[in-house]
Amino acid sequence: MRKIFNWVLAATLVISGATVFTACSSNDDNPVVDNSLAEKIVGKWIHTDTDGEAITTDMKSVYTFEKDGSTLKGYYSMSMTGSGVWAFNQETDVTVSGNNVTLTSHLSDGVTSVVELTNVNVSGDDLRFTAKTTLSKDGQVTATYGPRQEHFTKTEADYTQTVIGLWDIYFTSDNPEHESLEPYREEYRADGTCSFYDLIDGQWVEEKTDYSEYFADGPLFCFRWQKTDAGIDRRENWEIVSYENGKMVSKALHRRADGSTYTVTAHLTKVE
């Protein structure tokens, strides 16, 4: 479950399609105002597609909206392999006005991101809207992005506790070069740290790392690490699709340079 990516400023998280919810209204000139929008968006939502195209797993995010009395609170989790963003339950201020939602996040180094969601439409477990993102630093606008059309799906899945433990893993894929039946183990602890083990001469040997951590938010399962003396941030993003009787299956959708896609499936068995 290892691929190498660059790690850059966390402020770039808002340039990703996974950071902005977006959708078009069928009648933008005369939208029907939904006065119950603040209630309808409560829940956990995972990114499905951008501009009608399925989003790859390394660009996915999970947003959670909760009501605390009359206050609507927002949180998001994402691990962006292209930009290096790592955010778990990052708090964002939420303002609802008619069919529009504004998400304001105060990031490191004086950076603020404001995501303006317009024509927000919630239909059951389906959430769509259009968004414009503005980045600023110390009060000065540094970049704007969008609009984008985004689609998120509501999820009830919660694998936060499920992933904790030691797992035997093998991989299958519709891209043969990503299949592997070699013995491999990964361990995920309750404190958010993880370890990786190789079978060497019949013994499980832990890989040496400078850091290794993970998070699970809804079905999104992400981890990153850096091998000792390697100086390279490595990470994996997966979407857990099932768990039963100590067996877990997660999938990752990847896109090739030519635009075609392939899926890698991880088959995990908990070690008792």
Side-chain angles (χ1 to χ4, degrees):
M1 300 173 79
R2 310 176 199 175
K3 299 171 180 65
I4 302 175
F5 303 94
N6 295 324
W7 187 8
V8 297
L9 293 177
T12 57
L13 67 93
V14 291
I15 71 175
S16 162
T19 325
V20 292
F21 301 108
T22 57
C24 283
S25 166
S26 60
N27 189 355
D28 291 341
D29 294 331
N30 298 287
V32 176
V33 176
D34 185 356
N35 293 320
S36 63
L37 183 58
E39 298 290 341
K40 288 184 176 179
I41 66 173
V42 169
K44 192 177 293 290
W45 306 84
I46 187 167
H47 199 171
T48 302
D49 59 72
T50 297
D51 293 329
E53 184 174 65
I55 193 76
T56 54
T57 315
D58 61 355
M59 297 293 287
K60 288 206 169 193
S61 59
V62 168
Y63 274 73
T64 303
F65 296 101
E66 300 175 348
K67 285 296 290 291
D68 183 5
S70 60
T71 302
L72 185 62
K73 294 184 176 181
Y75 306 87
Y76 58 82
S77 296
M78 60 184 70
S79 170
M80 298 301 169
T81 55
S83 65
V85 171
W86 179 266
F88 174 49
N89 276 339
Q90 170 69 48
E91 186 171 357
T92 181
D93 297 332
V94 184
T95 303
V96 179
S97 177
N99 289 357
N100 304 322
V101 178
T102 301
L103 306 175
T104 304
S105 302
H106 302 285
L107 308 174
S108 60
D109 300 324
V111 175
T112 298
S113 109
V114 178
V115 184
E116 301 169 271
L117 315 178
T118 57
N119 301 318
V120 179
N121 188 306
V122 183
S123 178
D125 294 340
D126 194 76
L127 174 61
R128 301 174 185 266
F129 39 81
T130 304
K132 176 183 176 181
T133 300
T134 301
L135 278 180
S136 62
K137 181 176 174 63
D138 300 326
Q140 299 296 316
V141 174
T142 57
T144 59
Y145 305 93
R148 297 175 187 265
Q149 298 181 10
E150 304 282 0
H151 176 202
F152 280 67
T153 302
K154 197 169 192 177
T155 177
E156 301 295 335
D158 182 4
Y159 294 101
T160 306
Q161 298 300 311
T162 304
V163 300
I164 295 173
L166 182 65
W167 302 85
D168 282 333
I169 306 174
Y170 72 92
F171 305 93
T172 58
S173 177
D174 51 9
N175 184 347
E177 66 182 82
H178 290 277
E179 291 192 352
S180 176
L181 299 180
E182 294 183 10
Y184 189 65
R185 282 185 173 180
E186 295 177 353
E187 183 177 13
Y188 299 94
R189 306 181 188 90
D191 64 357
T193 62
C194 51
S195 296
F196 314 103
Y197 302 87
D198 296 306
L199 187 61
I200 301 176
D201 296 330
Q203 300 291 323
W204 288 107
V205 179
E206 182 177 356
E207 296 181 2
K208 294 182 179 180
T209 59
D210 294 327
Y211 62 81
S212 53
E213 57 184 329
Y214 78 96
F215 67 77
D217 190 355
L220 186 64
F221 182 33
C222 305
F223 57 95
R224 66 176 181 174
W225 74 100
Q226 180 174 293
K227 282 191 174 183
T228 301
D229 301 325
I232 300 174
D233 181 56
R234 306 183 179 206
R235 57 179 69 196
E236 293 285 338
N237 293 358
W238 297 80
E239 187 170 351
I240 300 172
V241 296
S242 67
Y243 174 79
E244 186 176 4
N245 298 326
K247 295 184 180 296
M248 185 166 66
V249 176
S250 58
K251 293 181 179 292
L253 177 68
H254 299 279
R255 182 168 282 107
R256 302 181 181 90
D258 63 4
S260 61
T261 60
Y262 65 93
T263 300
V264 181
T265 302
H267 307 264
L268 299 90
T269 301
K270 184 163 283 188
V271 179
E272 299 299 336

